[in-house]
Amino acid sequence: MASSINSLEAIQKKIDAVKLFLSVSLSIANAHTVDFYTCDVWDQFMAVPPVEVLTEITLNGDHKRAPEHYLNHCSGTTKKITFGFCDDSKRLVDVAELLEAAYAHSLPGLGVCVGRTELLQSLRHTDNAQPLEEVPAAVVESDEFMNSKKSHEVQAMSEVVASLAQRCRVKQVIDVGSGKGYLCSFLSLQYGLQVYGIDSSSVNTHGAQERNRKLKKYSRAYQRHSKANRTPTVMPPSGQEDLEDIAPEDNSLPELDQSDPASAPEDPFLSALCVGMVEPTSPRVPPSELSLEERERRKRENLERKARSWVNSGGMGSGMLYSPLTSYVTAETELKEIIGELEDAVMVGLHTCGDLAPSTLRMFVAKRELLSVCSVGCCYHLLSEEFDPTRQECPSSSVCGFPLSGYLREQSWFCGRNARMSACLALERVAKGQGIQMESLFYRAVLHVILRDHYSSFKSEKRVGNVYSKATSFVDYVWRALRRLELDESKLSDSVIQGYHDTYRPRMVEMEAFNMLKVTLAPCIEGLILLDRLCYLKEQEDVAFSTLVQLFDPLLSPRCYGVVGVKAPGMELSE
């Protein structure tokens, strides 16, 4: 890793390049799917037919038309085109050029990331490197108690985290947003690290504690059985019942709550995605919303839980210490108030939601005892933006999640919520045929036309929610939506509703093509968010090493990039 490739100046130049591309193309990502027909979105942004867009995407941009073909779309033969858009009309005229530019401004196209293997070699092949040690008496086969996605993530990330801990010569790991504790348990059982898992949900914390107890029991039984039969993939009879309790009853691929309208996203785009297109969210309750009794209860439970964990694991010597803690943390959180035995540590976060990922990096920079960090974020649509023109997402009194770096903050860069929602899409999965459920998006957009034509206040505080999953037809969908919105049903009839469907059905291909372009732009928006985080670390004088690393297979885990930083003195790594 040459220093010139990953220097602060080099990263700033990459940011500038992505910004320039997005300044031209971001309007597509920010277009609201609900408004697709009411605002005539296709004609507003496109000067090419939808079939041409879909054909180019299918061909991966390999098929090129003659340049004069695109100039004819630009209201003249001498108009300039930038990234496929006509400079005058601001409409897309060259699909292939846009696709090529989108790849060039994604993280793979920019060449800014290192591979996991390369990072591990860099961490280990140094003057004070030591062989990575596992706990031989605590063998854990992760695929026995996690689904394939979670197993892949935990195994890949835990090796990096363990290498960071060994590189910095620490034994403590702090997992922020630890959820159900899979990563914590694996780090504790497999690598003998003292792990504190902090999550704002007491339900997650209780579940993680019980799951860890069963994993320890399974690990001991598994080791006994392996020695007896030399067949480590066979589950011992004595542990079968407990293993079933922790088997993947919770598929980590997300499903939004369909029964509660309040849980549905404001934009139906996310809810229309196939399962696995976006990462799940975790509820977080700010301390200001907790009663004094609740705060005291959590503190008491944390102390009791740490004591039980110490006793159950046999103390530090057993290498199996994991303490789930319940707390809402920010960059201002005093970790010593949560962890009484706090020492120098590695901070980690696996798919930390929204603002929690940048808060993790802020904590790493602010806390002297945190010597390294490995953060994988998700749920970009839940990020707050400092320069949101409406100031709705990030009040002036709050610390916002984006932008994080001083470089982007000086430029007052703003993405927009719809663009951040687009960043949650999984290009690799869509390319493999795990596409977008277009019919539900189509239904919602046509419903918006009906609301505009027949109801004066179609901008309601109430949300339609995901009524699509229960509807048997478009007519049924509209009736259900009207009841959800508490609107007068006497204004419509089945035939009128069906008429709207029949009128717009031939234009559904426009929506399909447009949303495929959104998917194509997703890696660029995600790339800017992650480059901003990397730039933030490189701006810190005491951070000796920082990089972006691809930790996971994007087909298994779309949010596959991690931000890694090391600030331990005297432990500089070549970048």
Side-chain angles (χ1 to χ4, degrees):
M1 291 179 281
S3 59
S4 61
I5 296 177
N6 244 350
S7 66
L8 173 60
E9 293 76 15
I11 297 303
Q12 289 174 342
K13 287 181 179 179
K14 303 285 188 184
I15 288 175
D16 289 341
V18 179
K19 277 179 51 204
L20 179 61
F21 172 66
L22 291 179
S23 68
V24 176
S25 61
L26 196 63
S27 56
I28 290 180
N30 267 320
H32 208 302
T33 309
V34 167
D35 297 325
F36 193 79
Y37 297 121
T38 55
C39 295
D40 208 3
V41 169
W42 182 264
D43 286 340
Q44 182 181 347
F45 294 106
M46 302 290 154
V48 293
V51 173
E52 184 174 318
V53 173
L54 294 173
T55 300
E56 289 288 355
I57 290 175
T58 302
L59 293 174
N60 248 349
D62 292 336
H63 175 64
K64 298 277 286 185
R65 291 184 181 267
E68 56 267 22
H69 166 80
Y70 304 107
L71 291 174
N72 290 336
H73 286 302
C74 226
S75 303
T77 56
T78 60
K79 302 298 184 181
K80 187 179 178 183
I81 298 173
T82 304
F83 302 128
F85 289 85
C86 175
D87 286 359
D88 286 349
S89 69
K90 310 301 182 185
R91 300 167 78 201
L92 180 65
V93 297
D94 186 339
V95 182
E97 184 176 335
L98 174 62
L99 298 181
E100 291 169 4
Y103 176 77
H105 294 90
S106 66
L107 291 181
L110 292 168
V112 73
C113 290
V114 302
R116 193 177 71 93
T117 301
E118 184 180 357
L119 175 65
L120 290 172
Q121 290 173 347
S122 181
L123 290 171
R124 295 168 184 171
H125 296 170
T126 49
D127 293 340
N128 60 344
Q130 303 172 10
L132 185 63
E133 298 179 358
E134 297 185 0
V135 181
V139 178
V140 178
E141 292 291 327
S142 64
D143 57 355
E144 293 284 354
F145 59 89
M146 287 179 272
N147 61 40
S148 59
K149 176 180 181 290
K150 184 58 66 177
S151 174
H152 170 67
E153 294 166 351
V154 165
Q155 290 190 76
M157 188 164 179
S158 63
E159 188 175 10
V160 170
V161 173
S163 295
L164 285 169
Q166 198 145 30
R167 187 69 182 77
C168 297
R169 296 182 176 180
V170 301
K171 295 294 290 181
Q172 282 191 1
V173 174
I174 301 171
D175 185 358
V176 179
S178 55
K180 298 180 180 180
Y182 290 119
L183 178 64
C184 295
S185 294
F186 198 82
L187 285 168
S188 173
L189 291 166
Q190 196 79 353
Y191 294 102
L193 293 166
Q194 183 185 15
V195 186
Y196 294 95
I198 304 175
D199 197 273
S200 64
S201 168
S202 59
V203 174
N204 279 345
T205 305
H206 284 295
Q209 178 75 16
E210 181 62 16
R211 187 175 292 105
N212 190 58
R213 180 190 67 79
K214 293 174 180 177
L215 288 180
K216 291 178 182 178
K217 181 177 180 181
Y218 164 60
S219 180
R220 291 190 292 268
Y222 184 93
Q223 181 66 16
R224 289 196 302 270
H225 189 71
S226 298
K227 290 180 179 179
N229 297 330
R230 304 297 180 187
T231 55
T233 59
V234 178
M235 179 64 204
S238 62
Q240 184 67 48
E241 183 177 354
D242 275 336
L243 181 61
E244 290 175 350
D245 289 342
I246 56 175
E249 77 286 352
D250 51 282
N251 188 341
S252 64
L253 300 181
E255 288 191 14
L256 298 175
D257 183 1
Q258 315 293 7
S259 60
D260 180 9
S263 70
E266 293 177 5
D267 190 321
F269 194 34
L270 288 182
S271 62
L273 300 176
C274 290
V275 173
M277 290 291 101
V278 295
E279 299 294 335
T281 64
S282 299
R284 303 176 69 218
V285 181
S288 59
E289 297 181 11
L290 297 175
S291 64
L292 178 62
E293 292 77 9
E294 175 64 14
R295 289 197 292 268
E296 288 298 322
R297 185 187 67 80
R298 288 189 176 193
K299 185 175 182 179
R300 184 172 60 255
E301 284 185 354
N302 285 339
L303 292 173
E304 293 172 353
R305 196 173 292 114
K306 285 190 286 186
R308 287 197 303 269
S309 182
W310 180 273
V311 172
N312 292 339
S313 63
M316 286 281 291
S318 70
M320 298 174 70
L321 180 61
Y322 162 39
S323 301
L325 308 172
T326 302
S327 180
Y328 179 92
V329 294
T330 67
E332 291 73 38
T333 299
E334 286 297 333
L335 294 174
K336 290 183 179 179
E337 294 181 1
I338 305 173
I339 305 170
E341 305 83 9
L342 182 65
E343 302 172 358
D344 288 348
V346 176
M347 174 159 279
V348 303
L350 174 54
H351 290 152
T352 47
C353 219
D355 285 346
L356 185 56
S359 289
T360 299
L361 298 180
R362 285 191 173 105
M363 275 189 279
F364 163 66
V365 168
K367 311 301 180 186
R368 180 189 55 79
E369 58 271 14
L370 299 179
L371 301 187
S372 63
V373 65
C374 182
S375 171
V376 181
C378 69
C379 304
Y380 302 127
H381 58 297
L382 298 180
L383 274 175
S384 60
E385 293 199 61
E386 181 176 358
F387 301 103
D388 171 15
T390 66
R391 305 298 295 173
Q392 291 179 352
E393 295 184 333
C394 188
S396 57
S397 59
S398 301
V399 177
C400 298
F402 181 84
L404 186 62
S405 68
Y407 187 69
L408 266 185
R409 292 185 68 206
E410 288 174 359
Q411 302 172 57
S412 303
W413 183 260
F414 172 70
C415 280
R417 187 173 188 273
N418 288 334
R420 287 183 281 106
M421 291 179 81
S422 296
C424 297
L425 303 176
L427 175 61
E428 291 82 5
R429 287 184 173 181
V430 173
K432 290 295 183 180
Q434 302 178 34
I436 301 170
Q437 298 174 358
M438 290 308 308
E439 189 175 65
S440 63
L441 294 175
F442 172 72
Y443 278 16
R444 183 62 184 87
V446 179
L447 171 66
H448 210 56
V449 177
I450 294 174
L451 296 178
R452 179 198 64 185
D453 292 349
H454 295 273
Y455 300 90
S456 57
S457 62
F458 64 95
K459 292 286 187 181
S460 172
E461 293 183 359
K462 298 181 182 297
R463 290 182 288 180
V464 173
N466 189 13
V467 299
Y468 173 80
S469 61
K470 304 178 182 68
T472 58
S473 66
F474 178 70
V475 173
D476 184 39
Y477 171 86
V478 172
W479 290 130
R480 289 176 180 272
L482 293 178
R483 287 191 289 271
R484 177 68 62 85
L485 297 173
E486 299 179 358
L487 295 176
D488 183 4
E489 299 177 38
S490 66
K491 293 184 177 183
L492 296 174
S493 65
D494 286 357
S495 60
V496 171
I497 294 173
Q498 187 62 41
Y500 276 93
H501 176 276
D502 297 343
T503 298
Y504 285 93
R505 182 63 181 81
R507 295 182 57 187
M508 185 174 171
V509 66
E510 296 176 356
M511 179 174 283
E512 180 182 0
F514 194 84
N515 283 315
M516 286 303 295
L517 289 176
K518 279 193 171 189
V519 172
T520 301
L521 294 175
C524 308
I525 305 167
E526 177 182 36
L528 182 64
I529 293 171
L530 295 180
L531 285 171
D532 171 58
R533 294 174 184 178
L534 177 61
C535 186
Y536 170 74
L537 291 186
K538 291 190 176 297
E539 291 171 345
Q540 313 306 318
E541 292 184 359
D542 59 343
V543 176
F545 169 80
S546 56
T547 191
L548 288 176
V549 55
Q550 182 175 331
L551 291 171
F552 314 132
D553 179 346
L555 279 174
L556 281 174
S557 182
R559 304 282 75 79
C560 61
Y561 296 106
V563 182
V564 173
V566 179
K567 66 179 179 186
M571 294 190 179
E572 293 189 7
L573 299 168
S574 63
E575 297 190 8

